[in-house]
């Protein structure tokens, strides 16, 4: 699917930071940037300082044009000249790429994460307890994965990535010990929740939405057991 925000971010990126990481961050940011509701920071699980640091490191040329303080989503849509109405900041972007205030309902917070904050914290802490370095990337990724894992789809889809191999790359590179624990090649989202359940010595543990998922029987098997993956 065409994603002009992704293309624009890649044009504005600093590939010296790591081509694969740059691509993955661009995918996750552009995926959330299409939502008309909630701030981009909230949907990625990042605070303002973290978001600015990530953008400055990986997409410095985009930040050079960023009229801070402003809404990242309206800035992105203005840059690609795509009409957009944002309910997190109350601005509308015209086809010419100009933004102006409009009288629309405003929404704050990100209910998916706010209503399950303890779950987000547990997932983030699980990832960070296995971080492979003291760099900023594992912190950003842990937050983004923890919020993304609350979605209804498979994890790579919830994060806006191109396939399950992207999730595996992130974990193998930035959370190596956790990656290596998945000796049975279990689907990643289910593996995370199994790890949390093991920490609490819970023997029967289901990931979010398992009770309504027709693929439940596939979730706890190896990746090659079927085409359904998380």
């Amino acid at each position: 699917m065409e994603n002009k925000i992704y293309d624009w971010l890649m044009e504005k990126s600093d590939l010296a930071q790591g081509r694969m990481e740059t691509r993955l961050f661009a995918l996750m940011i552009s995926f959330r940037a299409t939502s008309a509701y909630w701030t981009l920071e909230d949907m990625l699980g990042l605070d303002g300082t973290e978001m600015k640091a990530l953008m400055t490191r990986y997409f410095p040329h985009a930040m050079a044009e960023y009229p801070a303080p402003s809404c990242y989503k309206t800035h992105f849509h203005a840059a690609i000249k795509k009409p957009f109405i944002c309910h997190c900041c109350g601005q509308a972007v015209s086809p010419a790429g100009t933004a102006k205030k409009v009288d629309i309902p405003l929404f704050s917070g990100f209910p998916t994460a706010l209503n399950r904050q303890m779950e987000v914290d547990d997932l983030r802490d699980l990832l960070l307890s296995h971080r492979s370095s003291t760099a900023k990337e594992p912190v950003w990724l842990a937050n983004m994965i923890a919020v993304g894992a609350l979605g209804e789809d498979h994890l790579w889809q919830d994060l806006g990535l191109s396939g399950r191999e992207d999730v595996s790359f992130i974990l193998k590179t930035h959370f190596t010990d956790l990656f290596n624990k998945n000796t049975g090649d279990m689907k990643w989202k289910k593996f995370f929740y199994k790890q949390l359940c093991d920490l609490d010595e819970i023997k029967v543990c289901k990931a979010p939405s398992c009770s309504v998922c027709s693929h439940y029987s596939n979730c706890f098997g190896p990746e090659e057991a079927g085409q359904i993956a998380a």
Side-chain angles (χ1 to χ4, degrees):
M1 183 176 67
E2 182 183 36
N3 189 329
K4 290 185 177 181
I5 293 177
Y6 168 81
D7 293 338
W8 180 78
L9 284 171
M10 292 301 292
E11 289 174 4
K12 302 295 182 179
S13 67
D14 179 2
L15 293 179
Q17 296 299 328
R19 181 175 294 274
M20 187 66 170
E21 278 83 1
T22 301
R23 183 183 74 83
L24 296 176
F25 280 129
L27 283 171
M28 290 187 280
I29 291 169
S30 61
F31 174 67
R32 291 299 193 183
T34 59
S35 172
Y37 304 94
W38 332 118
T39 68
L40 184 59
E41 296 94 318
D42 284 345
M43 289 187 291
L44 292 172
L46 304 176
D47 62 28
T49 300
E50 291 168 331
M51 184 69 193
K52 182 179 179 180
L54 189 163
M55 289 293 299
T56 300
R57 178 174 296 185
Y58 282 88
F59 310 102
H61 305 295
M63 289 300 288
E65 302 171 4
Y66 179 61
S70 182
C71 169
Y72 286 100
K73 293 187 296 178
T74 57
H75 175 52
F76 295 163
H77 283 84
I80 65 172
K81 294 181 171 57
K82 183 176 181 179
F84 181 71
I85 296 177
C86 183
H87 287 269
C88 81
C89 68
Q91 290 188 313
V93 177
S94 73
T98 58
K100 66 176 182 179
K101 283 287 186 180
V102 289
D103 185 17
I104 56 175
L106 298 180
F107 296 89
S108 60
F110 183 44
T112 301
L114 290 175
N115 295 338
R116 297 162 67 179
Q117 189 61 54
M118 185 178 296
E119 196 173 330
V120 172
D121 293 343
D122 286 345
L123 286 167
R124 182 190 64 239
D125 291 347
L126 171 69
L127 288 159
L128 289 179
S129 68
H130 294 86
R131 62 191 294 187
S132 302
S133 73
T134 58
K136 293 294 186 182
E137 281 79 0
V139 177
W140 301 333
L141 289 165
N143 281 283
M144 296 165 86
I145 291 172
V147 173
L150 303 180
E152 297 292 331
D153 293 317
H154 303 301
L155 183 56
W156 65 270
Q157 293 172 310
D158 292 333
L159 294 172
L161 300 175
S162 56
R164 64 191 181 195
E165 64 277 3
D166 286 345
V167 179
S168 294
F169 173 86
I170 290 171
L171 295 170
K172 186 175 183 179
T173 304
H174 297 284
F175 309 95
T176 309
D177 289 345
L178 188 62
F179 175 86
N180 290 335
K181 283 186 176 183
N182 190 5
T183 56
D185 209 16
M186 188 183 290
K187 311 300 189 294
W188 284 117
K189 190 186 296 188
K190 283 68 186 178
F191 173 75
F192 294 157
Y193 281 87
K194 179 63 166 59
Q195 291 294 300
L196 293 176
C197 291
D198 286 348
L199 288 174
D200 288 333
E201 297 184 349
I202 299 172
K203 301 305 180 185
V204 179
C205 184
K206 293 192 293 185
S209 308
C210 276
S211 60
V212 296
C213 179
S214 61
H215 305 304
Y216 179 81
S217 61
N218 293 323
C219 284
F220 291 90
E223 291 286 357
E224 63 270 16
Q227 297 301 311
I228 305 302

